[in-house]
Amino acid sequence: MTNLASNLVATAQAHPDKVAIKLDDAELTWSQLHGLAAQAAGAMRQAGLEPGDRVALILPNVPAFPVLFYGALLAGGTVVPMNPLLKSGEIEYFFSDSGAKLAFVWGDFLSEAVAGAESLETKVIQSGPIGPSAEDLPAGEPIGSPVERADDDTAVILYTSGTTGRPKGAELTHRNLDLNAKRSSADIMRMLPEDVIMGCLPLFHVFGLTCGLNAAVRCGATLTLIPRFDPAKALEVVQRDKVTIFQGVPTMYGAMLHHPDAATADTSSLRVCVSGGSALPEQTMREFEEKFDAQILEGYGLSETSPVASFNMLDRPTKPGTIGRAIPGCEMKLIDADGNDVPAGDGVGEIAIRGDNVMKGYWGKPEETEAAIPDGWFRTGDLATVDDDGYYTIVDRKKDLIIRGGMNIYPREVEEVLYTHPDVVECAVVAVPHPELGEDVGAAVSLKPGSTATLEDVQQYVKERIAAYKYPRQIWQLDELPKGPTGKILRRSVSPPTT
């Protein structure tokens, strides 16, 4: 049986009374987590969920997330984790594209989800701290043993924005996620049941889902949750819960390092830290390791690779500034524009990945799948170099991706919203530097002659229609945007005005 939920059953049997999930004073043991997930699975079946049906989760980092995530898997469902900050129009697309039958939503985000599901058959169910109430989801016969699923059955659909068109759902199989959790826990972090993992990465994001939740479930470690990252809270939780493994994006490391509480917090329990999402400045890495006496391992991955593809490993020398070497079960290489291999030391190429971590494909999009994996090698769109020891260094992004504090934002998606403003004639969304987040969202706009709309009006318009982390923080006006010979806007020639 290959259902990913089998790991929860095995861990609940091996460590029934050990704390599995913690959120401040609230705790669930492994047997309690399994029991709640089994009840949720039975209730979902009672609500009409069949194996393979999609279940959307719009939840912050609260115990209900693992309960409902594993509950859906126990019932044989496919989980669609979604960012709680999405607006109704975005939610409608995700529900519609995935064909979600059920959606479990935290109360704060209920109105947007209900609006998003208005014209669809998706049943929206409010969730409390450990799941929905019996009133919102009537009980069924608990499902304690996982419904049998095949290796290549889809366990999770993770939506990733494309440079063109609407977001695509990366289909990650039970085998993809199980093996990547194993590689993350055993091969990279050397995770043990005695470990306490900091759960400040969002669980709806593949980094937190695989390296945090699924890795903890696989080895019986404790996951202590923070619903919204705050450096003071993170330092407090490290000290309070004796966190041994910290997982974060570079902005989290910088925020903790420079927080006043860093001087007095007891972080002596930290054993290893892992960083991903974007490049970690070497200066930040050195200062953090020196202040907190804990090694940082930097790695790389994508939603389409479950996510981990490469890492600096504990049993090998680490090379700051690199994303390490390919993990076991994964092959990486560089290719040129024609698909030919670029040997080590021969310059820059696009990273291509093959292995047991590569997705099944994009949900309902065979042409996009073929374009991304034409020959068994997944084209990442990231440009890098590789040295003779097999360590990769990202040098640029082929795609026009903006990484804001570890969150991926694609300009096209923001531009689509800008273009719906009645006074916007042309626009281009680009990355602008930010001292803490690394990058932020900037937008150049050209407005209709005689328009009375202000730039603040346009900014507010976008803010109301897109997730809060995506709207442009910097916006400026141009008479006309730079264009190429075909009339295509040259985004790379757009930059904010100098003051």
Side-chain angles (χ1 to χ4, degrees), residues 212-496:
L213 178 59
N214 290 343
V217 169
R218 208 176 195 287
C219 29
T222 297
L223 183 66
T224 182
L225 298 173
I226 297 180
R228 185 184 179 90
F229 180 76
D230 170 78
K233 181 67 174 179
L235 290 165
E236 175 196 324
V237 171
V238 169
Q239 177 172 312
R240 183 195 71 198
D241 295 343
K242 300 198 172 1
V243 170
T244 59
I245 298 175
F246 185 91
Q247 302 170 347
V249 295
T251 51
M252 294 179 179
Y253 288 99
M256 291 170 65
L257 176 65
H258 299 300
H259 195 275
D261 292 353
T264 55
D266 180 2
T267 59
S268 58
S269 58
L270 283 176
R271 177 173 64 79
V272 65
C273 304
V274 296
S275 179
S278 59
L280 178 67
E282 288 187 46
Q283 185 70 18
T284 301
M285 178 184 285
R286 290 196 190 95
E287 290 182 15
F288 189 97
E289 289 184 334
E290 184 177 338
K291 182 179 282 286
F292 298 111
D293 192 26
Q295 185 176 7
I296 298 178
L297 304 176
E298 191 169 7
Y300 167 79
L302 309 96
S303 296
E304 291 92 339
T305 58
S306 303
V308 183
S310 68
F311 244 93
N312 284 274
M313 307 281 193
L314 284 168
D315 62 349
R316 291 177 179 270
T318 60
K319 295 190 179 184
T322 77
I323 55 170
R325 298 160 46 95
I327 65 168
C330 172
E331 298 174 82
M332 289 173 60
K333 66 177 182 178
L334 299 180
I335 57 174
D336 62 20
D338 298 319
N340 302 312
D341 291 3
V342 176
D346 243 23
V348 176
E350 179 182 359
I351 297 176
I353 299 172
R354 180 172 70 179
D356 54 37
N357 55 337
V358 174
M359 67 172 180
K360 182 177 178 175
Y362 291 117
W363 172 260
K365 292 179 169 55
E367 291 180 4
E368 285 89 337
T369 300
E370 174 62 26
I373 320 173
D375 51 6
W377 289 86
F378 172 66
R379 267 59 168 173
T380 65
D382 289 316
L383 303 177
T385 59
V386 60
D387 66 18
D388 292 333
D389 297 323
Y391 286 75
Y392 287 78
T393 301
I394 301 281
V395 296
D396 198 359
R397 286 188 298 276
K398 202 171 157 184
K399 305 165 186 173
D400 291 314
L401 180 68
I402 300 169
I403 301 181
R404 182 181 187 271
M407 300 296 285
N408 292 352
I409 302 161
Y410 282 83
R412 172 68 182 271
E413 187 180 5
V414 185
E415 288 167 1
E416 291 287 351
V417 178
L418 274 165
Y419 273 120
T420 66
H421 189 286
D423 288 318
V424 171
V425 178
E426 293 176 345
C427 66
V429 171
V430 296
V432 293
H434 190 283
E436 284 85 41
L437 297 170
E439 291 178 341
D440 213 334
V441 184
V445 298
S446 172
L447 300 179
K448 288 179 181 177
S451 166
T452 57
T454 66
L455 292 178
E456 290 76 17
D457 293 338
V458 175
Q459 186 181 45
Q460 184 64 30
Y461 176 88
V462 179
K463 184 178 180 180
E464 290 171 359
R465 287 163 176 80
I466 204 164
Y469 65 92
K470 296 179 185 175
Y471 80 88
R473 263 49 176 197
Q474 220 175 314
I475 190 165
W476 60 97
Q477 187 172 350
L478 298 176
D479 291 335
E480 187 179 354
L481 273 70
K483 300 181 182 71
T486 63
K488 180 181 178 182
I489 292 173
L490 299 176
R491 189 185 284 127
R492 288 170 189 258
S493 299
V494 174
S495 58

